[in-house]
Amino acid sequence: ARVLAPAQMTTTEDTHMNPYPVNTNLPASKSPLAWATVGNGILFTAQIPIGAEGKVVEGGIEPQIIQTLANLKHTLESAGSRVSDLTQVVIYVTDREHLATVNRVYADFVSEPFPNRAAIIVSGFAREEMLVEILAYAVVPSPTGSYPL
């Protein structure tokens, strides 16, 4: 699949409607995945607490949620979106006790009108050192600056 940055896309609406991966420049995964894709004007992404070197950040839930949200913001911007374009966020954590910290950090990340959000407690992730993962969906303006219907 061809990776297109917003500036490289043609100005036709057809390009915006066909699915394409977003070039985020986040560390490459060993799994067969794209950090984000856009289809029909919607960004689909899953973000984890990895730093620029490709390792899960250490120090507990606070640095992990901060890194995960920073990766999400970077991904949104790479797709031509903003945090305010988020429509739904699903936050997975490994411990109910993490929710107070997650909510505090998340409250500084978003502003009204807030996206729809869910928090789900899970028993673990593929990388055992991870404490959080975020699934998010956002509207992506078309190359002409309009939003999909």
Side-chain angles (χ1 to χ4, degrees), residues 63-74:
Q64 285 200 15
I65 188 64
I66 289 169
Q67 183 66 57
T68 304
L69 291 171
N71 291 347
L72 176 56
K73 183 177 183 199
H74 173 79

Side-chain angles (χ1 to χ4, degrees), residues 13-20 37-44 79 81 85 87 137-143 146-149:
E13 292 299 314
D14 287 341
T15 301
H16 188 64
M17 299 306 279
N18 294 322
Y20 61 90
T37 58
V38 172
N40 294 332
I42 303 295
L43 172 77
F44 302 85
S81 287
D85 292 321
T87 57
Y137 308 92
V139 176
V140 178
S142 75
S146 63
Y147 285 88
L149 296 177

Side-chain angles (χ1 to χ4, degrees), residues 80-92:
S81 287
R82 309 172 302 271
V83 172
S84 62
D85 292 321
L86 284 166
T87 57
Q88 185 177 39
V89 176
V90 182
I91 302 174
Y92 298 89

